[in-house]
Amino acid sequence: DIVMTQSPDSLAVSLGERATITCKSSQTILYNSNNKNYLAWYQQRPGQPPKLLIYWASTRESGVPDRFSGSGSGTDFTLTISSLQAADVAVYYCQQYYATPLTFGGGTKVEIK
Amino acid sequence: QVQLVQSGAEVKKPGASVKVSCKASGYTFVSFGINWLRQAPGQRLEWMGWISPYNGDTKYAQNFQDRVTMTTDTSTSTSYMEVTSLGSEDTAVYYCARDAFPQYSYAELWLDPWGQGTLVTVSS
């Protein structure tokens, strides 16, 4: 199975400041034939199911604010919240869909400092 | 709007079975695969398997293939997931989640949307 490792486990950021979350896969999730990274990011607010933010590592889902951005390739990926808002308090997960079983990172809890 | 609505919380004794439902609305049910996942307390999300409402094809995670059965009822646009021989380690929130775009045979995808989750508690 592909193991997804996120860091940090939690971070506290002041309102309006940048939050950066990293996700590392145990093997490449870049498909050479189409040059796409098979990685998605989700946001899970307390008491809610996960909500899709980004797929193909950097494509923002329709309706997701542009302060959310994804980057990276191969085995190393980043989710950035450029200017943290109160509504962004949540746990964030990365997920690979390069191979079965689908696997997720352990989550990063984002709080307000 | 596209929505998945799951059945309510369950409390089961060890050794029992549980069946969770996931009712879809707002899209053509047979065109999108349904995935089942779970999240145990303090654990990461765990993918359990996939079913095609189009033809009933399934793909189970190796950890679950002996104890999990996924089915669909196209007349009610509902997917079901049954887990047998429950143990305390099966206490978790169980989610259904739709494939992000239509497909009739299994291929790995991102998931959108998700059901609201069903808490299954296994306790004697």
Side-chain angles (χ1 to χ4, degrees):
Chain A
D1 297 1
I2 298 176
V3 177
M4 307 300 290
T5 303
Q6 285 184 235
S7 61
D9 292 337
S10 65
L11 75 161
V13 176
S14 300
L15 288 172
E17 297 299 305
R18 178 184 300 257
T20 301
I21 299 166
T22 64
C23 174
K24 184 183 286 282
S25 57
S26 61
Q27 66 182 73
T28 186
I29 54 175
L30 170 64
Y31 210 151
N32 287 332
S33 62
N34 59 10
N35 201 37
K36 286 184 181 288
N37 288 282
Y38 283 51
L39 184 97
W41 287 97
Y42 299 87
Q43 174 194 66
Q44 186 175 29
R45 295 189 175 113
Q48 298 290 316
K51 173 192 168 187
L52 176 69
L53 295 177
I54 285 169
Y55 54 94
W56 296 133
S58 60
T59 301
R60 202 179 302 115
E61 170 71 344
S62 174
V64 172
D66 60 8
R67 63 180 180 273
F68 291 92
S69 64
S71 63
S73 185
T75 60
D76 295 283
F77 301 91
T78 300
L79 175 69
T80 302
I81 310 172
S82 61
S83 175
L84 192 76
Q85 306 299 305
D88 302 334
V89 168
V91 179
Y92 293 84
Y93 296 95
C94 59
Q95 175 227 328
Q96 65 79 21
Y97 49 96
Y98 183 89
T100 296
L102 308 181
T103 50
F104 292 78
T108 296
K109 186 174 185 178
V110 174
E111 300 172 307
I112 306 295
K113 186 187 292 183
Chain B
Q1 75 281 20
V2 176
Q3 200 173 7
L4 299 175
V5 178
Q6 298 183 224
S7 49
E10 303 262 13
V11 179
K12 296 293 182 180
K13 293 200 182 301
S17 300
V18 68
K19 193 170 187 177
V20 179
S21 68
C22 171
K23 184 172 176 59
S25 61
Y27 71 96
T28 302
F29 180 61
V30 296
S31 296
F32 293 76
I34 294 287
N35 298 263
W36 287 90
L37 307 95
R38 75 178 186 182
Q39 188 169 34
Q43 303 296 312
R44 65 184 61 197
L45 286 156
E46 185 175 24
W47 181 80
M48 302 174 69
W50 171 94
I51 184 166
S52 166
Y54 176 72
N55 57 16
D57 281 354
T58 55
K59 181 87 169 178
Y60 296 135
Q62 197 163 9
N63 290 350
F64 296 100
Q65 59 186 21
D66 293 339
R67 294 197 298 134
V68 166
T69 303
M70 297 175 189
T71 56
T72 61
D73 181 347
T74 56
S75 69
T76 59
S77 299
T78 302
S79 180
Y80 299 90
M81 192 271 306
E82 182 175 28
V83 184
T84 60
S85 303
L86 290 166
S88 58
E89 68 279 5
D90 294 312
T91 293
V93 177
Y94 289 76
Y95 292 101
C96 59
R98 197 193 71 168
D99 282 344
F101 55 81
Q103 56 179 11
Y104 299 108
S105 58
Y106 179 73
E108 297 83 357
L109 282 178
W110 63 97
L111 308 176
D112 180 54
W114 295 55
Q116 83 276 19
T118 297
L119 175 61
V120 175
T121 303
V122 183
S123 174
S124 54

